[in-house]
Amino acid sequence: MGKIGISIFSVLISALAWSQDKVAESYKEPIKPEATEIWSPKPPAVTPGKDGAPPSDAIVLFDGSNFDKWVSARDSSAVKWTLNNDGSMTVKLGRGIGDIQTKRNFGDVQLHIEWKSPEKIVGEGQNRGNSGVFLQKLYELQVLDNNNNDTYVNGQVGAVYKQSIPLAKASVPTGEWNTYDIIYHAPVFGQYGDVVKKATMTVLHNGVLIQDHFELIGPMSFIGWPKYKPHGKLPILLQNHNCEVSYRNIWVREL
Ligand code: MG
């Protein structure tokens, strides 16, 4: 390399060093705390409810006074379940009673619901205090009286029925009120009916985490493997499994 070559080379090296310094400078850690503070947009203010009462922005689906937000799932006729005078409702036994569902359709939600197995123990396995909370009519979170009552673990209380075994069994004694707090994200479908994003469920049972952002395989399937079919927003459904399960204090926040 000649003299000219050497000087061009050294100019290039100094230029490179200078630009690297500039880059390093731009990546310097901010010195002031204010540099990493974000002030907008502000999240909406929500007034929390006390002891499971609905927060200020919730849609109350059932407060014990009527079935105004519900219909029979089979034919959209009036609900035939029993409205009790303690602020709860109970599944009614008999032919033609069936499941109930909300009049309104939902997608992503935070759902609070309280349920109680019958005090008088009847049946065993899947026939004892069985009901279910179906998100979008298709995806079942199991309700079951599992106290001293064994069954298959992917169908026990708190299971995403036949898909996800709960992380714990957090039931209260039979005949006492349980709470489910559910964070549900609806599946997202592409224009060809393909699954872009699976549905997910996170569940707290009496404050205990039992489903941790579980990705659903598909809708509830009693026989065979679940398989998604594209759909839009759909009602929340409560199952009549011929057991006198009660519900109360049901509210939802759309996400
Ligand atoms: Mg069930």
Side-chain angles (χ1 to χ4, degrees), residues 3 6 10 16 27 33 56 82 95 101 108 113 165 175 181 191 197 236-237 251-252:
K3 270 189 181 174
I6 288 169
S10 55
L16 186 65
Y27 280 106
S56 58
T82 307
R95 279 179 169 271
Q101 69 182 41
D108 301 351
I113 188 161
I165 301 161
D181 286 286
Q191 60 172 319
K197 223 173 163 185
I236 293 164
L237 180 146
W251 53 261
V252 72

Side-chain angles (χ1 to χ4, degrees), residues 106-111 133-141 160 163 181-189 195-203 211-219 228-229 231-236 252-255:
F106 294 98
D108 301 351
V109 290
Q110 172 186 351
L111 172 65
V133 180
F134 281 68
L135 284 302
Q136 299 202 297
K137 283 188 80 165
L138 296 168
Y139 309 100
E140 184 185 12
L141 175 64
V160 175
Q163 293 191 40
D181 286 286
I182 305 160
I183 312 295
Y184 170 75
H185 287 278
V188 178
F189 299 99
V195 181
V196 174
K197 223 173 163 185
K198 291 175 179 173
T200 59
M201 229 189 268
T202 297
V203 183
Q211 297 290 347
D212 187 6
H213 202 70
F214 173 69
E215 280 190 353
L216 279 82
I217 301 156
Y228 278 109
K229 278 190 196 137
H231 60 81
K233 288 187 172 185
L234 288 168
I236 293 164
V252 72
R253 294 180 66 243
E254 290 183 299
L255 304 176

Side-chain angles (χ1 to χ4, degrees), residues 6-21:
I6 288 169
S7 40
I8 290 174
F9 182 71
S10 55
V11 165
L12 281 174
I13 290 292
S14 347
L16 186 65
W18 179 83
S19 68
Q20 277 178 345
D21 282 352

Side-chain angles (χ1 to χ4, degrees), residues 160-178:
V160 175
Y161 187 75
K162 287 208 172 162
Q163 293 191 40
S164 178
I165 301 161
L167 299 170
K169 186 169 88 176
S171 297
V172 294
T174 302
E176 293 183 17
W177 286 101
N178 288 270

